[in-house]
Structures are given as C-alpha cells and as structure tokens.
Amino acid sequence: MSLVAGVDIGSTTAKVVILKDGNPVSSAITYTGADCNAAAESILKEALQKIGADKNDLDYTVSTGYGRRAINFGDETITEISANAKGAVFISNDERRGDKIRSIIDIGGQDTKAIILDDSGRITNFVMNDKCAAGTGRFLDVIARSLQEPMDNFVKLALSSDAPVTINSTCTVFAESEVISLIANKVPKKDIIAGLHKSISRRVTELAKTAGIKPVVFFDGGGAKNIALKQWIEKELGYEVYVPKQPQMVVALGASIFAYEKFQKKNVSQ
Amino acid sequence: MDGKKEPVFENRYPFEAKIQINEEKIKEIKENYNKISKLNLEKMRETKNRAASMAYFENVLLDKSERLKELKEFKAKGGKVIGIFCIHVPEELIYAAGCVPIRMSCGFYDTIAPAEEILPKNICPLIKSSVGFNFLKINPLFELCDVVIIPTSCDGKKKMADILSNYQEVWTLEMPHDRDNEISREFWIKQVSLLKERLEKLTENKIDKKKLKEYIIQLHKRTALVRELFDLRADKRIVIDGRDAYLVLQTAFFDNPARWMEKVKLLIEELKNNIKNNKVVAKETSPRIIMTGSPLIWPNMKLLHTIEESGAVVVADDSCACGQYFYNPVELEEWSMKAMIEALGDKYLLPVVCPVFVHSDDRIDRILELIKQYNADGVIYHILRLCQVFDFEYIKISKLFEKKSIPLIKIETEYSEEDAGQIKTRVEAFIEMLEARR
C-alpha cells in the first residue's frame, strides 16, 4: 500500500490531492494568504483527515506551484508546468476515455500558460504570460471588484451581452480606468464585462497560438470555472475546449502522480 | 582622402544636460557593482571540483587596480586607450596602431536608472546600461578611454553614439545591413580602412605592416586558444560550467591579452587533467544547453545562475559577449597591407552572427552546428526586453526548431531581479521537459 500527496501552492489558492495506490482518494483547497507554509500545512491536514490519516502515513510528498519551495515539508518539487501536463493526461484518460489531449490552457491567479504535448503526453513546448497580471484570473477579480459585482453575477452578465465592447488596454491598471470611463459614458455593464472576457480570451489564445496550440485542448486552472471565458476562448479558437470536473485540482493531482511514480521507483531500486 | 572631407560627425548642437547624480550615489553604485560581482562569484564557487585556475580570472574581475596601473603608465607615455562596443571592431588594427582596446561592459542594473534621464524609455537595458556605465565611470578603466568606437549595429547603438558624442570623442564604424553581396563587403572594407586612417591620425604614426601582421597572428592565437577551451566543453565529462566560461572570456575584454592567454593555457591544462581524472563539475546526465540571443554581460548572471542551479549546464553559446567574440579567425595567405585590411574586414563581417543583418540563416547554421558539436539537449534563447533584432529572429528559429523537434525556450527578461521567480519556473520546466525526453 502507498499513500502519497501532491501539494500545489498557487498565488491565490493552495490545493492538495492524496493518492492511495495511485488512485485519488482525497483533496482539499484553501486560499494561500500571506503564509504559504501555514496554508499548505492546514490543507494537507484537512485532506488527510478526510481519510482518517495523518502526515506520518505519507510515503512521498511532491510540492509544486509558485510557492513550491516556500513550504517546510515534502520530498521533492516539480514545476507546475510538468505537474499540469501529468494531471491533465491522467484526467483525460479517466474522464475522456483516453481521448488524447494535445494542448493545455491554464488560467491561474498570477499566470496564464499554454502547454503543448506530443502523442505520449510529453511536453514539447510551453509559454507563459508576461510578468503583469493582464490575462490572468487576478485581472477579472480586480475588475469585478471595481464594478462591485460578485463573481457569479459577473459571469452571468458576461453571458447575457450581445454587444461586447472592445477593451484596448492590456494592462490591468489601465484596463480598470478604461472600464471606469466606459461606465461614465453609460455603456451597459454587461457589454463591458463581456468585452473584458473577450479581451482576455484573445490574449490567452494569441499566447497559445505562439506555442502551437492544437486540439484536443484541455482548459484548467481557476479561470476554467468561468463559463464565459470558456465560450470566448472557444470562439477565438474556432473549436471546443474540454474543462475537467475539477479544473483547479489538476496541478495538485499531477504532483501527486509524480509523487506516486517517484515512490514506486524508489521501492523498486531498494 | 583625395582632398575630400573625412566623413566624421561634427556635433553642431551639443547639449549640456548632465546626468544629475551626486558623488555619494555614484559611490553607492560602484560598491553595489562589487557586491553583486562578489555574490555572483560566491554562487559560482559552490560548484564542486571547480578548476583552481579560475582564481586568476575572479581576481582580474574584482580588482582592476593592476590593469589600471598598467594602462595609466601606458597613457603617461603617450599611449591611447580606446573603448570599443560590439563584436565588429578590428582590435588588431588598434593594437597595431600602438593603442589598447577595452570592450565596454554594460550588464549592470544600477546604471540604468541614472541613464534614463537622458534616454528614451522604450529601449533595451543594454543601451541604457552602456550609457550609464560611460557617464558614471563605474568601471574605472573607462575613465582612461581617449576615444570610443561604436559600430552602427542596432538602432540603440547608433543613437547611443550620438548621445555619447556630447561628452566624449566617439567614432562610428558604419556597418552594412546585408552581408550577402560584394558591394556591402567593399563598403565595409572601406570603413575598416577609414578606421586605420583615423587611428593613424590619432597617434600621428603610420600603422606598420609588420606590426599589423604581428597582432593578427597574436589574436589568431587567442582565437585558437578559445577554440581549444571550447572543445573541452564538448566532452561528456563536464569540467567547466557556462558561468565560468563566460567569466573567463569576459575578462579578456579588458585584460592584457598576452597575460590572459598564458592564464587560459594554464586553465586548459588543468581542465584536461580534470577530464582525465574524471573530476567533473556536473553529472554526465545533466541536460546540456546552448545559449543564444541577447548577450549576457557581467554582472548580469541571473539567467546563467538559474539554469545551472537547476541542474543543467551551458555547454556553448553563439553570444557576442562570449564564445562568438573570439571564434572567428583571420584567413589570409598574403601579408600586404591591402590583403590584411581585407582579411580583417572579412573576419569582422562575414562570419559574425549578429541579428542586425537582414538575414539570419548563417546564425541558424551556427546554432545547429553547436547543437551537434556539443551534443546539446536544448537551446535557451535569451531576449533582453526591447531587443527587437533578436526577438525578430526568434520567430524563424522557433518554426524551424519545431519542425526539427529541437527543444527551444525563449526567456525574455531584463537586468532586474524582480522576475527571478517566474524565470526559475520557466527554466526548471524546460529542464524537466528535457529530462522527460530522454
């Protein structure tokens, strides 16, 4: 029997997936907050408690995400890019009955990524957004807050527009002031919000095209929970993308699979 | 010049603006430069089995007082020190004229902010740092320069020549944009001849044929030595990492060439022994990287640290600030002045893989050759933000490499440390990708 964990410390949320003999048995998610290590500790404890286990029962732990080195435990680290690919391939085998994915779009809190895979699920190329927050989950959070709309309603409004405006600014700060002047000009809120989704989707797909995106496209990260974003990305690409059941957990799952593989290899060599 | 006016720029509207900065701040920047240099070296010393001969190059970099003394004495006797930029200035001519060239460094973040006072915002950090270095004389050797030669390579260098000409004597070396025709070559050889005339005017002495031959041969030996050092890096036993190779070659920018060559010979001997005794600095399985793109100039070691701390090793590069600078030999059979000038012109034009030229196919050939020769696993393409020429060429290269299944990653960055975390993620993921391909 083996019990391993994958811990993904993202800029906004921290996630944990636990595998028992290679199968997911538990997971948990929380806000990262100011203390990566505390968030990771508590979320790991929570996930383990769900199956009546504790840290001592873990055979191998792999951490990933931008805070992968900021935590005080774990056997190894892996980048979120490799972890994402591993998780996505596992899920597509499971949820899509082996339908091979060839690209991943990941919209997270701080980063947007596009990852290209070959037939056997190995990464052949990847790109990430620039250091600024435009085109990331944070961008939509900032604008939703300045428009005083909760996220659910923000997305609903985006879906209800027939005439999205064009947002020209690619910088979060400038886009926010552009939005404010649109409001002052009495442009309907739903058209502004739809325009924002459209603008992000265009940026993301442009990024993905430079990496060589091709179907089947797997869309994950917190941004994949946003249906309006999914629709606009599909419009920009001209084909459907696949969103897994739990898009935020893919990277943590990938890290846990990596932990499982490592643990098995270790056992074989011993 | 047949009575014609020499095409030298005469600045009719010099502007008086000076960088507004006090001595205290300059002192702080100088101290910071030393601090960062020391930090870099500390990181590099962590490498196990590092060659002991590296100590000389570390010392030359940290303590320039000996070289400073030498050059001051040289100047006291009437010698001229000439600052040079880029990879296109025929150093042989400068030495033959009895002058000493110093390649200007420009890789330091702290020199950027002061220079922004007299520069546009959207230009690359290398140009900003070049101007900052020159004004603030962060490198004490720069104070000794009587003339600065700037090849008209990229737009940044061209306009920098104009800015610097407000403060010091600047000679431009006008380059063709296209190397693939005879007219460009003729034009360039004329420029090299013009440089010779200017040097002769400066020193009030004719350049002697014998002297020129002597320095062509000496610098040819330097090229051969650098090639010998680089050949060692092709071995599967890795005995020198990329950072040390950059350090060694960049000290040649200002060190006494004869002494430098002696020290490189010692280093090569030591490295050969280390190969024999399997005294390696990295595992044989470490992913082997070719560096290309915008130059990485001391103390801007951020990217090289990230790559080599993540378990990969830079085995070669086509950089004008490292391998490429010393790579090209002078080819000639006849030692007439005309033949030598032409051969020098060819050395500094034809094989130079700089992206300022219209076509880049020979740069691509060079990278492909390096991949094969050094048995590399992947290529890291560094772009300094707003370095347009390298950014343009990335597109053609990335399309080709995709077809050839050669792993390639573009890292766009600046001199500041603020994106260190993001760069680390990209580089680590690239290395994981290379490892997974095996």
Side-chain angles (χ1 to χ4, degrees):
Chain A
M1 199 210 76
S2 74
L3 199 68
V4 300
V7 185
D8 171 19
I9 316 294
S11 66
T12 312
T13 54
K15 309 98 182 166
V16 165
V17 170
I18 310 283
L19 299 186
K20 191 176 179 180
D21 296 329
N23 296 307
V25 286
S26 178
S27 67
I29 180 166
T30 188
Y31 285 103
T32 307
D35 185 346
C36 288
N37 192 52
E41 289 271 6
S42 82
I43 202 72
L44 182 63
K45 199 170 161 193
E46 187 189 322
L48 286 166
Q49 266 171 0
K50 285 183 191 171
I51 52 165
D54 66 38
K55 250 173 101 172
N56 296 328
D57 299 323
L58 283 175
D59 295 305
Y60 212 83
T61 304
V62 168
S63 62
T64 185
Y66 102 103
R68 62 189 177 279
R69 283 200 186 76
I71 61 173
N72 305 333
F73 59 92
D75 300 286
E76 208 168 327
T77 65
I78 180 179
T79 63
E80 53 268 42
I81 293 147
S82 299
N84 200 337
K86 253 196 198 330
V89 170
F90 182 91
I91 291 171
S92 66
N93 284 336
D94 185 37
E95 290 179 17
R96 291 182 61 91
R97 295 172 193 281
D99 189 1
K100 283 210 167 72
I101 55 157
R102 296 303 298 272
S103 312
I104 302 165
I105 290 179
D106 170 17
I107 300 187
Q110 177 177 269
D111 289 317
T112 294
K113 304 177 196 79
I115 304 167
I116 314 301
L117 307 173
D118 67 9
D119 261 342
S120 52
R122 288 186 310 186
I123 300 170
T124 59
N125 196 11
F126 63 89
V127 287
M128 286 166 82
N129 66 310
D130 242 340
K131 62 186 171 190
C132 81
T136 68
R138 186 64 52 91
F139 176 80
L140 285 177
D141 278 347
V142 168
I143 306 288
R145 212 170 302 141
S146 76
L147 290 175
Q148 293 172 316
E149 288 293 346
M151 206 24 105
D152 293 1
N153 210 39
F154 190 71
V155 175
K156 261 186 219 148
L157 283 167
L159 292 168
S160 69
S161 161
D162 302 317
V165 294
T166 304
I167 305 285
N168 297 309
S169 298
T170 48
C171 160
T172 308
V173 180
F174 291 147
E176 197 176 1
S177 55
E178 197 174 337
V179 164
I180 290 163
S181 52
L182 286 168
I183 292 169
N185 287 334
K186 304 232 168 0
V187 177
K189 232 185 202 181
K190 60 176 187 180
D191 296 340
I192 299 173
I193 296 170
L196 284 164
H197 282 79
K198 193 177 157 185
S199 140
I200 289 191
S201 304
R202 184 168 298 157
R203 279 179 70 89
V204 171
T205 49
E206 271 166 14
L207 183 79
K209 280 175 190 168
T210 64
I213 191 171
K214 52 191 161 228
V216 174
V217 175
F218 188 92
F219 177 25
D220 63 15
K225 295 194 329 193
N226 182 328
I227 307 162
L229 217 44
K230 174 178 182 280
Q231 283 190 4
W232 277 111
I233 285 175
E234 287 173 337
K235 255 182 221 169
E236 290 289 337
L237 287 175
Y239 49 81
E240 281 184 18
V241 300
Y242 176 70
V243 176
K245 286 175 194 144
Q246 290 180 296
Q248 277 178 295
M249 306 306 289
V250 179
V251 175
L253 174 69
S256 70
I257 296 165
F258 188 74
Y260 177 65
E261 288 172 357
K262 269 302 175 86
F263 179 66
Q264 276 192 315
K265 219 185 257 174
K266 210 173 101 187
N267 272 3
V268 169
S269 64
Q270 266 170 7
Chain B
M1 299 275 303
D2 309 330
K4 271 181 277 174
K5 200 169 177 256
E6 198 189 341
V8 172
F9 173 66
E10 179 196 330
N11 190 354
R12 287 181 294 119
Y13 302 103
F15 66 99
E16 298 300 322
K18 280 257 182 319
I19 291 179
Q20 296 177 46
I21 188 163
N22 55 36
E23 285 303 316
E24 202 111 306
K25 181 75 192 166
I26 295 177
K27 205 177 138 215
E28 192 190 311
I29 294 175
K30 281 182 182 168
E31 277 166 8
N32 217 7
Y33 178 80
N34 289 333
K35 208 171 91 189
I36 288 172
S37 293
K38 279 180 192 155
L39 271 175
N40 277 337
L41 293 174
E42 265 167 39
K43 283 186 184 177
M44 288 153 72
R45 285 188 201 123
E46 282 168 21
T47 306
K48 221 179 75 191
N49 290 338
R50 187 168 177 253
S53 328
M54 286 306 299
Y56 171 78
F57 303 99
E58 286 192 10
N59 197 41
V60 164
L61 189 96
L62 283 181
D63 182 9
K64 300 201 175 73
S65 56
E66 195 188 336
R67 186 63 175 149
L68 198 63
K69 198 172 137 237
E70 263 174 23
L71 289 177
K72 274 187 179 159
E73 283 165 13
F74 169 73
K75 277 189 71 129
K77 283 186 239 147
K80 305 279 183 198
V81 176
I82 301 194
I84 59 173
F85 278 97
C86 290
I87 188 174
H88 319 283
V89 182
E91 284 184 56
E92 292 87 342
L93 271 181
I94 297 174
Y95 283 118
C99 308
V100 171
I102 287 179
R103 177 113 178 249
M104 311 297 265
S105 51
C106 40
F108 184 36
Y109 178 64
D110 289 21
T111 54
I112 290 177
E116 278 175 332
E117 191 182 321
I118 50 164
L119 288 172
K121 189 165 162 277
N122 291 324
I123 57 170
C124 80
L126 192 148
I127 297 296
K128 288 182 183 171
S129 179
S130 299
V131 171
F133 253 107
N134 247 283
F135 277 96
L136 309 172
K137 311 290 180 207
I138 299 304
N139 184 336
L141 300 174
F142 290 8
E143 280 182 65
L144 307 176
C145 293
D146 297 284
V147 179
V148 173
I149 302 179
I150 305 180
T152 57
S153 52
C154 62
D155 284 356
K157 289 271 162 58
K158 285 186 200 113
K159 303 313 286 182
M160 181 177 85
D162 187 50
I163 297 263
L164 289 180
S165 69
N166 287 292
Y167 304 92
Q168 63 189 114
E169 186 159 357
V170 174
W171 297 352
T172 51
L173 187 59
E174 200 169 340
M175 289 168 58
H177 301 298
D178 196 334
R179 287 169 294 173
D180 304 326
N181 61 70
E182 193 53 32
I183 295 172
S184 300
R185 181 174 173 266
E186 280 168 21
F187 169 84
W188 172 245
I189 287 167
K190 272 188 190 157
Q191 298 299 323
V192 175
S193 308
L194 180 64
L195 177 66
K196 176 177 164 279
E197 283 171 30
R198 285 175 149 187
L199 286 164
E200 287 171 341
K201 214 170 136 190
L202 180 79
T203 59
E204 293 170 8
N205 264 319
K206 281 267 169 213
I207 290 180
D208 181 54
K209 213 166 73 175
K210 268 191 222 144
K211 272 263 173 283
L212 184 55
K213 182 178 173 182
E214 183 191 323
Y215 280 103
I216 286 179
I217 291 170
Q218 196 192 350
L219 295 199
H220 187 83
K221 282 184 188 154
R222 185 174 74 175
T223 293
L225 207 55
V226 170
R227 286 192 175 205
E228 199 184 338
L229 175 67
F230 269 51
D231 283 348
L232 299 179
R233 299 167 75 195
D235 200 283
K236 63 179 193 296
R237 284 153 298 188
I238 302 163
V239 289
I240 180 168
D241 66 12
R243 289 172 289 181
D244 275 348
Y246 271 76
L247 170 63
V248 170
L249 294 204
Q250 294 193 5
T251 53
F253 289 2
F254 55 85
D255 197 13
N256 176 316
R259 185 172 54 220
W260 184 84
M261 283 165 67
E262 283 312 308
K263 298 296 178 182
V264 172
K265 274 182 202 156
L266 292 178
L267 174 67
I268 290 173
E269 281 317 305
E270 187 182 358
L271 293 177
K272 277 183 180 165
N273 272 327
N274 288 355
I275 289 180
K276 220 187 291 161
N277 302 327
N278 211 23
K279 206 176 154 198
V280 295
V281 296
K283 286 185 301 203
E284 257 178 45
T285 50
S286 309
R288 300 166 68 91
I289 305 289
I290 303 289
M291 275 306 300
T292 187
S294 311
L296 294 161
I297 297 169
W298 190 273
N300 176 30
M301 290 283 116
K302 178 175 69 174
L303 184 54
L304 292 176
H305 282 317
T306 307
I307 295 167
E308 299 194 324
E309 284 167 1
S310 306
V313 176
V314 173
V315 289
D317 65 272
D318 72 342
S319 171
C320 57
C322 190
Q324 191 60 37
Y325 186 51
F326 302 96
Y327 192 76
N328 305 320
V330 178
E331 306 283 358
L332 87 172
E333 286 157 9
E334 183 203 336
W335 296 92
S336 70
M337 187 53 99
K338 184 171 172 283
M340 286 192 279
I341 294 288
E342 283 180 7
L344 280 176
D346 287 345
K347 170 185 171 179
Y348 288 94
L349 184 76
L350 297 177
V352 172
V353 289
C354 175
V356 296
F357 301 110
V358 179
H359 302 294
S360 59
D361 287 17
D362 53 354
R363 181 168 162 238
I364 297 175
D365 290 339
R366 177 92 182 105
I367 300 171
L368 293 174
E369 187 189 299
L370 287 175
I371 293 170
K372 222 171 121 191
Q373 193 184 344
Y374 292 88
N375 195 19
D377 299 289
V379 177
I380 296 185
Y381 198 116
H382 167 243
I383 295 177
L384 281 175
R385 201 175 303 281
L386 300 166
C387 176
Q388 294 167 336
V389 277
F390 272 115
D391 215 354
F392 262 114
E393 290 197 349
Y394 173 77
I395 297 166
K396 190 172 188 179
I397 291 177
S398 69
K399 299 285 178 212
L400 176 77
F401 280 22
E402 195 187 330
K403 226 185 275 168
K404 287 182 168 283
S405 293
I406 298 169
L408 170 74
I409 186 177
K410 170 167 116 173
I411 303 285
E412 193 175 345
T413 182
E414 295 172 50
Y415 290 170
S416 71
E417 285 288 326
E418 62 176 3
D419 59 356
Q422 279 146 320
I423 287 179
K424 192 155 179 58
T425 300
R426 284 163 168 82
V427 168
E428 276 182 20
F430 184 66
I431 292 169
E432 284 168 3
M433 181 179 123
L434 297 180
E435 282 167 344
R437 282 169 61 97
R438 287 182 165 174

